[in-house]
Amino acid sequence: MTVITVNTSKGRLSLDQHRVLAETLTDAVLVPEVGQLAPPARVGFQVHFVERESDMMAIGGRLLADAGPGLDVMVIDVAVMDGDWRQDVRTAVIERVLAAMAEACGLPEPAPAWWVNFRVIDEGSWGSRGGVLSVLSLLESGVFTKEKVKAIRTAFDE
């Protein structure tokens, strides 16, 4: 289970960009998380697009409304269940998220003020289906590679 929240200024992303990003951001996290592209696992991912007026966002101590046009600010928050989130896996997710954003926006590279927060929700702190979920209960779903299953089980044994 993963929630990706894209916070932008109002009107920054079009409906068509939302459609593209709904899939590409999902896959940007899904592939490193389960170890392969597994479309059936997409059901466990949500992407939320949050738009804010320029007087409700600031960078460098200045409201975007006062900073003038052209300042491209966004924060992408990625919240994942506890699992195999070694630094190299986190790095892959962050790089893939930024690349997906740049591609959807038609840019050769991400803007400097696009920031990604990567948060791991502690085991026992993710709720759905009327109770608490564990990534361990998802390991036999068939979407995780054998290597990922082993890495997640190892991470929980430490």
Side-chain angles (χ1 to χ4, degrees):
M1 306 302 207
T2 296
V3 178
I4 303 162
T5 306
V6 180
N7 297 279
T8 64
S9 56
K10 189 167 184 167
R12 172 60 179 91
L13 299 172
S14 69
L15 178 58
D16 286 339
Q17 288 170 316
H18 286 177
R19 287 185 175 113
V20 167
L21 288 166
E23 183 173 320
T24 60
L25 290 175
T26 293
D27 290 346
V29 182
L30 183 151
V31 172
E33 183 172 12
V34 303
Q36 64 185 342
L37 180 59
R42 288 180 178 148
V43 71
F45 288 71
Q46 293 185 22
V47 179
H48 298 243
F49 297 97
V50 179
E51 293 186 332
R52 301 184 193 287
E53 296 290 342
S54 61
D55 63 348
M56 300 299 284
M57 295 176 72
I59 188 166
R62 296 184 64 204
L63 289 174
L64 293 184
D66 299 333
L71 190 56
D72 195 4
V73 174
M74 65 176 77
V75 174
I76 302 103
D77 183 69
V78 179
V80 298
M81 295 177 82
D82 203 355
D84 175 35
W85 295 114
R86 293 165 285 133
Q87 186 58 55
D88 62 314
V89 179
R90 292 174 191 228
T91 298
V93 168
I94 291 168
E95 289 173 351
R96 290 169 59 91
V97 164
L98 288 168
M101 292 300 306
E103 185 173 334
C105 292
L107 298 174
E109 62 185 25
W114 293 2
W115 298 346
V116 177
N117 295 326
F118 186 95
R119 298 182 300 120
V120 177
I121 307 302
D122 291 338
E123 176 67 11
S125 299
W126 197 285
S128 178
R129 303 178 196 163
V132 175
L133 291 183
S134 170
V135 70
L136 298 173
S137 65
L138 302 173
L139 294 181
E140 303 306 321
S141 66
V143 299
F144 292 86
T145 62
K146 290 177 185 176
E147 295 81 10
K148 272 296 178 179
V149 169
K150 181 179 178 184
I152 291 169
R153 287 197 171 121
T154 299
F156 278 82
D157 289 340
E158 293 177 351

